[in-house]
Amino acid sequence: MTTPDTTATVDLPLAFDNRFAGLPPAFYTHLQSTPVPAPYLVGFSDDAAATIGLSRAALDDPAVLDVFSGNRTATGSRPLAAVYSGHQFGVWAGQLGDGRAITLGDVAAADGSGRIELQLKGSGKTPYSRGGDGRAVLRSSIREFLCSEAMAALGIPTTRALMVTGSDMRVLRESVETAAVVTRAAPSFIRFGSFEHWYYNQRHDELKVLADTVLAQFFPQLLQQSNPYQALLTEVTRRTAHLMAQWQAVGFMHGVMNTDNMSILGLTLDYGPFGFMEAFDSRHICNHTDQQGRYSYAMQPRIGQWNCFALGQALLPLIGSVEATEAALAGFEAIYDQRHAELMRAKLGLATVQAGDDALIDALFAILQANHVDFTLFFRRLGQLQLNNIGADAPLRDLVIDRPAFDAWAGQYRQRLRAEGSQDPARALAMNAVNPKYVLRNYLAQTAIERAAEKDFSELARLQAILRRPFDEQPEHQRYAELPPDWAAGLEVSCSS
Ligand code: AMP
Ligand code: MG
């Protein structure tokens, strides 16, 4: 095979620019991706592509696949890898950066909301690769692709994934796997660690340039405030608190909440060893590498807050005082608690706020914990509860081993529902709109990955289509909503990707 010339440009139906390249040169390195042999399409998201006005038909031109495999460069794209630093597992890790991601540039959002950056993940080494090979394996790329789109469909802020391309090129992890490239899309991939980078290098001029750029591009309304940097921290703290509440409400666990994986826009970013809660255990650790459980389900909100403090530290020279920085951070707990309580009430179908709600919710979580109840199934079935028909509880009750505990709680719950005049059909409708029937269970992803490794991408497409409509019944796909099979218990996900 002749190596494609990645410097020769090709016209795409996308008008590329690269505003990140407008930052001073210290922020990034311009470079070309490293081509992969004979790329092929693995998955494509019509929904994500529509956000930039691209359709699947564009793939009829093989140049499109080449560009999104890193084998050719689109006109107007000035590819670059960005530098950042971060705290990993609570410890300052120093310089990191896009070690295997290359930002191609940005294109117009189809809805006129601004620009959207396109980034290739797994497209080869960069000056920030440290010891890594700059590649991503098919397995982790499919996981990122599926989960980005699943989260978007759940209404949770996230980076998107346009497509995955694969290549038979071999990549060594714990075993030999094959390479893939994910095209990610987001208004920005700037991280908390992007700010920490300049703070810890004592380069406050660059810190200011970054903050001013982020304010101007994404938070222009904050520029009117007396201290825009404090306002920025307040807003990022708010968004992060909301994001944590949303993760908890659907049982999403990120797995690697290092500050370099925290989006300044409050998006879910950098999908690695994530997982959705199945048998409920608040101490569950989805990342096999995280032995201390720093990023367990129960810890996520606190770590989200910790990460905001790390960002606050980095912004301190711009904000000007510790007091003003603390004031910006102070809102986290109250904002999180309120959002979390709102989401929990919605999950239980409670339309009003009443004294005792917290106790009712806590009592339910104690039952879920003690009985390791499947999180998604329980809440979905809870929506089918009928006020005056205890017999109809069976499918729900069957999920709980301690039936007397369930019956006692269900009695209190019915009383609470009656107290607000709740009606079964309306409540079921409202609960089905917030309690997903379908989430990306690890074993479902695993099945799609195993088929894809054999070049059968139909299961991936099917799963993707199901997860696009997580709240819809889709009776024809019932088996995707059921308890995981026994073999799924042995699945482990690590940082290796
Ligand atoms: P992560 O924990 O996946 O967010 O990665 C942490 C850092 O390691 C980031 O700077 C990544 O770009 C880098 N990294 C991870 N895997 C690789 C790889 N295979 N090659 C180069 N850099 C990598
Ligand atoms: Mg990362």
Side-chain angles (χ1 to χ4, degrees):
M1 192 199 109
T2 54
T3 305
D5 177 7
T6 50
T7 56
T9 61
V10 51
D11 290 328
L12 287 197
L14 290 170
F16 270 98
D17 192 1
N18 195 333
R19 62 183 173 184
F20 198 92
L23 285 164
F27 281 81
Y28 56 83
T29 303
H30 275 301
L31 79 172
Q32 301 294 329
S33 44
T34 313
V36 290
Y40 43 83
L41 187 70
V42 171
F44 185 86
S45 167
D46 295 293
D47 296 338
T51 67
I52 57 163
L54 195 73
S55 75
R56 200 180 281 256
L59 289 166
D60 291 347
D61 177 356
V64 172
L65 195 85
D66 281 342
V67 166
F68 295 115
S69 306
N71 285 13
R72 292 173 85 179
T73 304
T75 308
S77 157
R78 285 177 286 155
L80 59 83
V83 69
Y84 52 81
S85 294
H87 280 87
Q88 297 186 318
F89 293 90
V91 178
W92 178 244
Q95 183 180 307
L96 304 164
D98 291 331
R100 53 173 171 169
I102 289 177
T103 296
L104 299 179
D106 47 84
V107 298
D111 65 2
S113 61
R115 308 289 298 174
I116 297 192
E117 288 183 12
L118 298 181
Q119 186 175 83
L120 303 183
K121 182 169 175 181
S123 54
K125 281 189 193 171
T126 78
Y128 317 109
S129 298
R130 300 176 293 156
D133 58 8
R135 292 300 176 189
V137 295
L138 182 68
R139 165 179 55 87
S140 66
S141 303
I142 287 178
R143 283 170 50 85
E144 169 144 17
F145 173 75
L146 282 173
C147 201
S148 305
E149 294 308 289
M151 291 291 267
L154 288 166
I156 299 178
T158 178
T159 62
R160 301 294 298 264
L162 245 56
M163 70 182 93
V164 182
T165 65
S167 165
D168 291 346
M169 191 177 88
R170 290 150 63 92
V171 176
L172 185 65
R173 295 292 181 261
E174 277 94 355
S175 61
V176 175
E177 303 186 45
T178 61
V181 175
V182 188
T183 304
R184 308 200 286 191
S188 173
F189 292 91
I190 293 174
R191 300 135 194 277
F192 288 13
S194 311
F195 291 86
E196 291 179 284
H197 180 74
W198 301 117
Y199 171 76
Y200 282 89
N201 283 293
Q202 297 181 25
R203 289 173 68 168
H204 295 175
D205 290 346
E206 281 86 355
L207 182 64
K208 184 172 184 313
V209 167
L210 182 62
D212 288 343
T213 303
V214 166
L215 277 162
Q217 284 179 358
F218 305 109
F219 305 98
Q221 70 286 3
L222 303 182
L223 290 166
Q224 324 299 329
Q225 307 267 328
S226 59
N227 187 336
Y229 307 113
Q230 184 196 26
L232 175 64
L233 182 60
T234 304
E235 175 61 12
V236 177
T237 299
R238 186 186 70 82
R239 289 189 186 196
T240 306
H242 277 195
L243 185 67
M244 294 305 111
Q246 285 181 284
W247 284 1
Q248 299 304 99
V250 295
F252 173 78
M253 294 164 284
H254 182 285
V256 202
M257 294 172 65
N258 294 332
T259 57
D260 53 303
N261 291 337
M262 296 294 292
S263 154
I264 200 69
L265 301 182
L267 308 173
T268 309
L269 170 65
D270 276 9
Y271 291 89
F274 66 82
F276 279 86
M277 183 67 80
E278 293 182 355
F280 188 81
D281 177 5
S282 68
R283 292 160 307 198
H284 185 71
I285 305 164
C286 64
N287 177 356
H288 180 54
T289 320
D290 177 17
Q291 279 153 5
Q292 309 291 318
R294 179 179 171 86
Y295 302 140
S296 68
Y297 176 80
M299 287 291 284
Q300 291 192 131
R302 262 175 283 174
I303 296 294
Q305 184 180 26
W306 192 96
N307 289 339
C308 288
F309 273 76
L311 177 65
Q313 178 76 52
L315 291 174
L316 182 56
L318 301 179
I319 295 174
S321 79
V322 171
E323 293 70 33
T325 306
E326 282 177 351
L329 294 163
F332 188 98
E333 268 181 68
I335 294 167
Y336 171 80
D337 286 346
Q338 188 186 336
R339 189 81 188 108
H340 186 252
E342 277 167 21
L343 293 172
M344 284 301 152
R345 272 198 301 275
K347 288 184 81 66
L348 269 71
L350 307 179
T352 59
V353 184
Q354 292 194 19
D357 286 353
D358 288 351
L360 184 74
I361 293 166
D362 288 351
L364 172 59
F365 273 83
I367 292 173
L368 298 181
Q369 177 76 38
N371 293 269
H372 293 310
V373 181
D374 187 89
F375 186 77
T376 302
L377 267 177
F378 183 87
F379 280 104
R380 187 71 183 189
R381 290 188 188 172
L382 187 63
Q384 269 59 66
L385 180 132
Q386 297 172 27
L387 275 178
N388 299 315
N389 180 2
I390 290 175
D393 284 357
L396 180 65
R397 194 171 181 265
D398 285 352
L399 294 170
V400 186
I401 302 160
D402 185 350
R403 304 280 154 80
F406 171 80
D407 292 340
W409 182 84
Q412 289 166 21
Y413 178 53
R414 284 194 163 85
Q415 216 175 359
R416 169 66 181 82
L417 292 174
R418 286 198 187 97
E420 67 176 28
S422 189
Q423 302 289 325
D424 290 343
R427 189 180 64 255
L429 213 59
M431 289 173 76
N432 282 350
V434 296
N435 292 322
K437 177 168 178 178
Y438 300 97
V439 295
L440 182 56
R441 295 175 185 270
N442 267 342
Y443 91 92
L444 294 173
Q446 186 60 26
T447 306
I449 290 164
E450 282 167 19
R451 298 273 177 77
E454 293 159 2
K455 302 252 167 62
D456 172 2
F457 308 120
S458 60
E459 180 60 19
L460 171 59
R462 188 174 307 117
L463 184 54
Q464 182 195 350
I466 294 168
L467 295 171
R468 265 187 88 220
R469 302 190 289 132
F471 302 109
D472 290 0
E473 277 300 322
Q474 307 185 58
E476 67 282 19
H477 297 306
Q478 183 60 35
R479 83 182 170 80
Y480 289 79
E482 277 158 17
L483 285 172
D486 289 343
W487 65 263
L491 282 178
E492 276 180 350
V493 190
S494 74
C495 269
S496 146
S497 59

